[in-house]
Amino acid sequence: MIGEFERTFGAVLEKKTLGKKKVLYALRVRQEDFPKMVRFLLSMPTVRLFTMVGTDERPFEDAFSVTYWFADWREGEILGIRLYVPEDNPEYPSVASFHKGALWFEREVKDLLGLYAKGLPDPRRLILSDDWPEDEFPLREDFEYYSSPLSERKPQYLPKIEGTSVHAIGPYHIALDEPAHFRLFVRGEEIVGVDYRGFYSHRGIEKLARGRMNYNQVCFIAERVCGICGFCHSTAYAQAVEEAAKIEVPDRARYIRTILLEVERLHSHLLWIGVAAHLTGFDTAFMRVWEVREKVMQLAERLTGNRKTYGLVVVGGVRRDLLDYRVSMIEKFLKEIKKEFDRVVDFLLSARSFVERCRGVGVLTKELAREWDANGPVARASGIDYDVRRDFPYAAYPELSFDIPVYTEGDVLARAMVRIDEVRESLSLIEQAIDAMPSGPIMAGFNEIPGGVEGISAVEAPRGENVHYVMTEDSNVIYRWRIKAATYNNLQTAPDMLRGYTIADAPLIIASIDPCYSCTERIQVMDVGRWEPCP
Amino acid sequence: MNLVIPLIIPFITPILDGIARKVRAKIQDRIGPPVLQTWYDFISLFGMESIDASGSLTFRLAPYLAFGSAMAMLFLLPYGDSSPFGFKGDLIAFIYFFALFSAVVVLSGMSVESSYTMAGASREITLSLVFKPAFAVVVALFALKSGSLSIEEITHSLHLAPSVIGAYALLIYITYVEAGFIPYDIAEAETEILGGVLSEYSGRALAVFLWAFQIKRFAMIWLLSSMIVLPFVGGVKALIAQFLTALTIFILMVVYESMNARHRLDIAVRKGIKALAAGCILLILAFFGW
């Protein structure tokens, strides 16, 4: 990807190399060429829009910047194109006008930084609440973290489709235990259109990390972005900083990270399988699967001291070592989990009524999955063979062998099967990692992290790719930190998955992407007593 | 004596529900709530104000009408040797109250402007359209074979024939469906439409409605157990046998329920149509003396 791109457009660009196979180009002149470049990149079959970062670079560039990051998952290359957007004319050409996957990125930048994408198909508010004033942009440097301006409440729902009634799922719904508001336009029981409003739990965690915390504290707040794939977030963040500061992580730390990443995947997938069973009224399978999940949490507790939110990752390695005498205990746990999991999956799939509910429901075609940049199990169930662990290797994955299950049906059952297969792969990965675990230090030694360097890194979370981008500042703080969770892309496919099915299928279809609203919206935990962010 | 039994049964049904919870918990490797939990729930609900979500009389009356129809179903059933209010043609009355129950559920759902209750009501109608006729066909077969329209007489004058055995099988299936067990709790699907028609009810009205559902479930199972027991057992023993059979059927149904996921409406309807077709074929067989 990088070679071809440079041959075609290299002349107008300023190049900066971030790492092996990671390049950033700045486009300072001829912004009108930008859509052409993006079209060129996305026309390659294995290139996807990875993330997009808007930054207030006024203190040193005298302009805002938006950076589109692309990833070629066959070559393992990452390429960024940066546009500078002046304050007096905050406009740039839209990518969403021809590539759906960019829609939320551009809406987000509009909300948080006040930069407008010319030609944005859906310019409604995405992140900020309905009563936030029009001219306040919280991610700008001159906006105070603690100010919370108010204005009149103006909800921007899509107009109702003629001849339908609105069936609301959320903001709080029994089948959706997180705040998300789906407005289903239904004719009888059939869904003909969908409107989504989310980001009720956006709390500006990226703003919080800006200048208020040092780079190591951010690891812990990153872990609290999500209650389920938190470790993936802290790992992705730490990897981004390590890449920016050129820190080499010791082997043992890489293996420890791998083990815990896979323990987390086990937990997440088991949780999801249980929830899927519950949503179809199959509570026996739900309870039995969660019994296995309980074992995984016990294992995590014995390894890290915490059932969830392990708090182990720091920049440069991990905080605590896994003790060698634990090895036999882990092996015992794995054996039990494997046995019980096989039994429980047999039981689940032997219930015809459950399989009937999942088969042929919520189909996402490969083309749509590509357009929305779906990732993780959602993409793999639609025939896209992409997994960050193999394609952008990190931690100890390059040294371990594992299969990546890919199904082509694109329905709920395929997504369930991907996760079921991945549980088995995770069990084998943990075993391999324990066998091959090297000895040695668990922390890298390094000096002060330089300012103005950038890093981008991804981790295959249970739900898909978590991409973290970091730009540092002097005195060990972070200037810009951008989190993109897997659900950010996958959730956007939900309306396309829901259309044409019934309201009976809706909770299952929504759940089948394993949505994580807190990841997508980037929350942080508040200490209610003091009403301040918890440290 | 037999007059009192239908009055005692409503107090037993919440305990049966408690037993169902225990059984389900056992299957799911949980401890489960106490057997009296459903009673505790009802008592606390009875102490709570019920909020009138629609302001319409239908909405307020529906739980009591449903309770009334369920009780009427109980009174028409045989207990041991006799049925307290049995008369010639009580089978028709039973079907009437059985249908009235569904009608009340549908009306209560339609009386509130909520997409959840509306969805519940429309699902109830759809299911009724296929399963109620199927039930009627089975009943017609029994009436044809025994030459009577009284539940008690039917149970005493049934003779086993191929069509009657088929009708029994269908009756078991339809009882299961009408008792509202998963996979057929579609009209009240909690995780899809928040309990359907029940979603707007609260407090006392909710308790009465839930109670009515339990009584109706029990009445359906009691009918099935009567059909199984009474042709073979008579006297005082019959009542005990009826109760034990009903309890066994109930527990077996709970066990089957916990092994299944909920059907989608179209799948349930397809199964209902098959049941109806099977019933019609059996009826024709019965007509020709099989």
Side-chain angles (χ1 to χ4, degrees):
Chain A
M1 169 179 73
I2 294 174
E4 290 166 57
F5 182 76
E6 202 164 305
R7 273 194 296 283
T8 319
F9 297 105
V12 288
L13 298 160
E14 254 178 62
K15 184 176 173 182
K16 183 175 162 191
T17 307
L18 295 186
K20 215 174 92 197
K21 293 189 176 180
K22 281 184 195 170
V23 181
L24 172 65
Y25 296 98
L27 179 63
R28 289 184 189 271
V29 288
R30 305 230 338 223
Q31 272 198 1
E32 59 278 13
D33 280 355
F34 174 64
K36 218 162 62 193
M37 296 176 183
V38 176
R39 278 179 207 270
F40 175 81
L41 287 170
L42 290 175
S43 69
M44 296 179 209
T46 54
V47 173
R48 48 186 283 110
L49 183 56
F50 212 28
T51 184
M52 188 263 231
V53 188
T55 313
D56 184 356
E57 292 199 41
R58 284 177 299 171
F60 32 89
E61 290 282 354
D62 209 23
F64 297 100
S65 76
V66 286
T67 315
Y68 288 79
W69 293 92
F70 300 88
D72 183 336
W73 76 79
R74 197 184 46 213
E75 309 282 334
E77 294 172 335
I78 292 172
L79 181 153
I81 305 178
R82 178 163 295 167
L83 304 173
Y84 287 97
V85 184
E87 189 177 358
D88 49 354
N89 179 25
E91 286 190 334
Y92 61 98
S94 164
V95 171
S97 56
F98 58 87
H99 179 67
K100 286 178 175 176
L103 184 62
W104 276 16
F105 291 127
E106 290 175 1
R107 285 172 72 184
E108 175 172 344
V109 167
K110 177 176 155 287
D111 274 15
L112 298 182
L113 284 160
L115 311 178
Y116 302 94
K118 265 184 304 205
L120 182 63
D122 181 5
R124 288 179 303 150
R125 187 165 270 186
L126 176 71
I127 290 193
L128 297 176
S129 59
D130 292 335
D131 54 6
W132 190 274
E134 296 279 339
D135 50 355
E136 296 275 0
F137 304 107
L139 217 53
R140 288 191 177 187
E141 284 293 297
D142 43 20
F143 184 89
E144 279 292 319
Y145 177 75
Y146 284 105
S147 80
S148 59
L150 276 184
S151 78
E152 208 183 317
R153 185 172 172 267
K154 283 186 230 146
Q156 296 173 314
Y157 293 128
L158 284 181
K160 204 168 86 172
I161 298 173
E162 194 99 359
T164 63
S165 55
V166 176
H167 183 84
I169 296 193
Y172 289 95
H173 187 275
I174 200 155
L176 245 162
D177 306 322
E178 286 185 82
H181 187 27
F182 286 88
R183 288 158 56 82
L184 308 179
F185 302 119
V186 293
R187 209 170 275 142
E189 284 232 352
E190 196 202 341
I191 301 165
V192 289
V194 182
D195 184 13
Y196 174 75
R197 176 74 169 108
F199 290 88
Y200 293 106
S201 46
H202 180 76
R203 298 288 182 276
I205 191 171
E206 288 156 348
K207 181 85 177 174
L208 176 78
R210 160 78 190 103
R212 198 165 272 97
M213 299 178 150
N214 68 34
Y215 66 89
N216 245 347
Q217 288 172 317
V218 176
C219 287
F220 301 100
I221 200 126
E223 189 151 9
R224 279 152 183 81
V225 165
C226 178
I228 294 174
C229 54
F231 194 80
C232 296
H233 279 290
S234 60
T235 308
Y237 163 78
Q239 285 178 6
V241 178
E242 284 151 9
E243 184 187 272
K246 311 263 181 293
I247 298 167
E248 196 71 40
V249 181
D251 287 344
R252 192 171 171 86
R254 287 193 296 121
Y255 272 81
I256 293 175
R257 283 182 184 181
T258 309
I259 290 172
L260 291 173
L261 283 168
E262 291 307 316
V263 168
E264 195 165 66
R265 191 181 323 278
L266 280 181
H267 166 262
S268 173
H269 282 350
L270 289 170
L271 183 138
W272 181 84
I273 296 167
V275 168
H278 173 61
L279 290 183
T280 56
F282 196 5
D283 279 354
T284 307
F286 162 50
M287 293 289 171
R288 296 233 173 120
V289 174
W290 276 37
E291 229 182 330
V292 185
R293 165 182 173 262
E294 179 64 32
K295 280 237 156 61
V296 176
M297 294 208 290
Q298 281 167 4
L299 173 65
E301 187 182 3
R302 299 295 291 277
L303 290 178
T304 67
N306 295 314
R307 285 156 66 84
K308 265 314 293 149
T309 313
Y310 313 137
L312 220 59
V313 169
V314 281
V315 172
V318 291
R319 275 170 68 218
R320 278 193 300 271
D321 205 348
L322 296 190
L323 305 171
D324 281 330
Y325 73 83
R326 292 267 196 242
V327 166
S328 61
M329 180 204 77
I330 300 177
E331 279 167 352
K332 202 175 125 246
F333 263 111
L334 290 182
K335 225 165 92 189
E336 278 170 28
I337 292 169
K338 198 183 276 175
K339 207 175 87 202
E340 281 177 33
F341 179 72
D342 285 342
R343 221 184 40 178
V344 122
V345 165
D346 280 348
F347 174 66
L348 179 72
L349 297 179
S350 69
R352 257 205 5 235
S353 47
F354 175 76
V355 178
E356 266 173 5
R357 283 301 298 268
C358 300
R359 186 175 288 141
V361 166
V363 173
L364 182 73
T365 58
K366 190 174 179 180
E367 292 70 40
L368 273 175
R370 272 285 285 153
E371 277 178 50
W372 286 114
D373 289 319
N375 52 58
V378 177
R380 290 195 284 278
S382 292
I384 297 178
D385 188 8
Y386 163 58
D387 188 311
V388 182
R389 290 176 293 174
R390 178 196 60 199
D391 302 324
F392 300 96
Y394 56 93
Y397 290 109
E399 290 130 56
L400 307 174
S401 77
F402 55 100
D403 281 336
I404 292 161
V406 178
Y407 287 76
T408 50
E409 291 86 350
D411 56 1
V412 174
L413 188 63
R415 294 194 270 278
M417 292 311 296
V418 167
R419 293 190 176 101
I420 289 171
D421 292 352
E422 282 187 6
V423 167
R424 301 204 167 104
E425 289 302 317
S426 291
L427 287 167
S428 130
L429 272 168
I430 299 173
E431 272 173 1
Q432 291 178 44
I434 288 171
D435 286 345
M437 182 107 114
S439 55
I442 54 166
M443 263 302 284
F446 55 92
N447 297 324
E448 189 165 311
I449 291 178
V453 291
E454 295 168 71
I456 182 166
S457 181
V459 160
E460 182 74 23
R463 284 90 181 254
E465 55 176 28
N466 284 349
V467 183
H468 282 234
Y469 162 87
V470 163
M471 183 194 266
T472 61
E473 204 185 11
D474 296 333
S475 55
N476 284 330
V477 296
I478 300 297
Y479 185 78
R480 177 77 170 103
W481 171 37
R482 168 77 168 98
I483 309 162
K484 195 219 73 173
T487 309
Y488 199 83
N489 291 108
N490 289 342
L491 195 55
Q492 295 181 67
T493 65
D496 282 332
M497 285 184 194
L498 287 165
R499 216 165 285 131
Y501 299 97
T502 64
I503 51 176
D505 299 320
L508 186 63
I509 295 175
I510 294 169
S512 75
I513 59 171
D514 198 359
C516 179
Y517 300 100
S518 57
C519 287
T520 310
E521 298 167 11
R522 282 144 282 163
I523 65 151
Q524 52 161 309
V525 187
M526 297 291 282
D527 180 337
V528 182
R530 289 182 295 144
W531 205 247
E532 326 176 329
C534 290
Chain B
M1 154 71 188
N2 283 356
L3 260 178
V4 194
I5 297 170
L7 292 175
I8 298 172
I9 286 173
F11 294 93
I12 300 174
T13 52
I15 298 175
L16 282 178
D17 195 57
I19 294 174
R21 287 183 181 201
K22 269 285 186 211
V23 171
R24 231 174 277 137
K26 201 86 208 146
I27 294 170
Q28 296 168 356
D29 289 345
R30 292 184 288 122
I31 296 169
V35 174
L36 286 177
Q37 186 59 47
T38 309
W39 260 122
Y40 299 149
D41 292 350
F42 280 174
I43 290 165
S44 80
L45 279 174
F46 271 115
M48 286 180 208
E49 172 199 16
S50 50
I51 292 159
D52 185 358
S54 82
S56 79
L57 191 65
T58 328
F59 182 81
R60 258 174 292 145
L61 281 184
Y64 302 97
L65 286 174
F67 190 83
S69 343
M71 285 305 290
M73 283 165 80
L74 274 190
F75 272 104
L76 294 170
L77 290 169
Y79 298 94
D81 271 349
S82 63
S83 48
F85 287 87
F87 53 88
K88 270 198 180 9
D90 58 3
L91 191 58
I92 305 288
F94 184 86
I95 296 177
Y96 171 80
F97 284 115
F98 175 49
L100 180 65
F101 186 95
S102 288
V104 169
V105 168
V106 170
L107 280 178
S108 74
M110 296 285 196
S111 66
V112 202
E113 236 186 274
S114 149
S115 62
Y116 300 111
T117 61
M118 292 282 185
S122 88
R123 286 171 174 205
E124 180 74 32
I125 296 176
T126 318
L127 286 178
S128 295
L129 282 178
V130 285
F131 283 104
K132 295 273 180 326
F135 180 68
V137 168
V138 171
V139 164
L141 193 150
F142 285 134
L144 182 73
K145 275 303 200 188
S146 60
S148 165
L149 279 174
S150 144
I151 300 174
E152 201 192 337
E153 276 177 36
I154 289 177
T155 56
H156 287 130
S157 50
L158 259 189
H159 298 288
L160 286 188
S163 62
V164 174
I165 295 170
Y168 265 112
L170 263 185
L171 183 66
I172 294 172
Y173 174 65
I174 293 167
T175 304
Y176 185 86
V177 174
E178 288 295 340
F181 286 112
I182 293 172
Y184 296 98
D185 69 330
I186 302 166
E188 291 90 38
E190 177 98 354
T191 48
E192 290 165 15
I193 50 172
L194 312 181
V197 289
L198 295 174
S199 61
E200 291 294 336
Y201 280 101
S202 52
R204 213 171 310 125
L206 177 63
V208 172
F209 225 147
L210 288 172
W211 203 358
F213 269 99
Q214 287 175 9
I215 296 169
K216 177 207 155 198
R217 175 182 271 192
F218 185 83
M220 292 304 295
I221 292 174
W222 191 262
L223 176 71
L224 177 61
S225 102
S226 309
M227 297 296 287
I228 292 171
V229 170
L230 293 185
F232 308 105
V233 191
V236 191
K237 274 187 290 181
L239 184 62
I240 300 165
Q242 259 177 310
F243 185 76
L244 291 178
T245 313
L247 189 66
T248 315
I249 294 171
F250 181 73
I251 289 174
L252 285 177
M253 285 182 171
V254 170
V255 171
Y256 183 75
E257 176 185 42
S258 58
M259 296 293 164
N260 272 288
R262 187 181 305 112
H263 279 324
R264 215 168 36 227
L265 190 61
D266 55 320
I267 295 173
V269 167
R270 230 174 294 141
K271 295 202 166 177
I273 290 171
K274 275 185 200 154
L276 183 57
C280 290
I281 293 167
L282 286 172
L283 191 59
I284 293 166
L285 285 181
F287 191 76
F288 288 108
W290 281 65

